[in-house]
Amino acid sequence: LLSVIDFGNIIYSKNKLENDTTDIVRMIKNDTSVSDIKEEYEGIEIDLSDYKDKYQKITITKYIDINTPLLDKILGDPCEIKTERVILDE
């Protein structure tokens, strides 16, 4: 039962992080600072890096605690959830 709850939490968190990534990309395109974004979205890490010539890669990471014994050994505790976007750096 705990593993079902953990997997459900991981899937929900991944979906939410994907949706939040869209909003964060929009905020970055509108020149919002990363520190302001981190204040609004608690528990995430944002990494901006150059990607090829005129592009910028945005990586957003969140960590989820795993409660199921042995599953934490397989997935890692905390479990890392990551999304990436590449945008045109204008």
Side-chain angles (χ1 to χ4, degrees):
L1 183 60
L2 284 176
S3 62
V4 171
I5 293 170
D6 278 338
F7 278 119
N9 187 27
I10 290 169
I11 291 168
Y12 169 77
S13 297
K14 175 71 173 177
N15 187 38
K16 183 163 177 18
L17 190 61
E18 288 285 346
N19 292 335
D20 290 345
T21 299
T22 303
D23 295 335
I24 291 169
V25 167
R26 188 177 306 118
M27 294 170 80
I28 289 172
K29 295 281 275 178
N30 290 328
D31 295 326
T32 305
S33 71
V34 172
S35 60
D36 289 342
I37 295 170
K38 284 183 180 181
E39 285 179 17
E40 186 171 336
Y41 294 92
E42 289 183 21
I44 64 168
E45 296 177 7
I46 300 173
D47 179 44
L48 298 172
S49 58
D50 291 332
Y51 183 78
K52 299 195 178 179
D53 292 329
K54 301 182 289 184
Y55 297 95
Q56 193 171 34
K57 184 176 182 180
I58 302 168
T59 305
I60 301 173
T61 308
K62 183 173 184 167
Y63 295 95
I64 305 296
D65 290 327
I66 302 297
N67 299 315
T68 305
L70 298 178
L71 189 60
D72 60 349
K73 304 293 186 222
I74 297 169
L75 298 177
D77 190 17
C79 179
E80 179 182 77
I81 299 173
K82 187 181 289 191
T83 61
E84 296 180 337
R85 298 287 190 278
V86 176
I87 61 172
L88 181 63
D89 190 16
E90 300 176 294

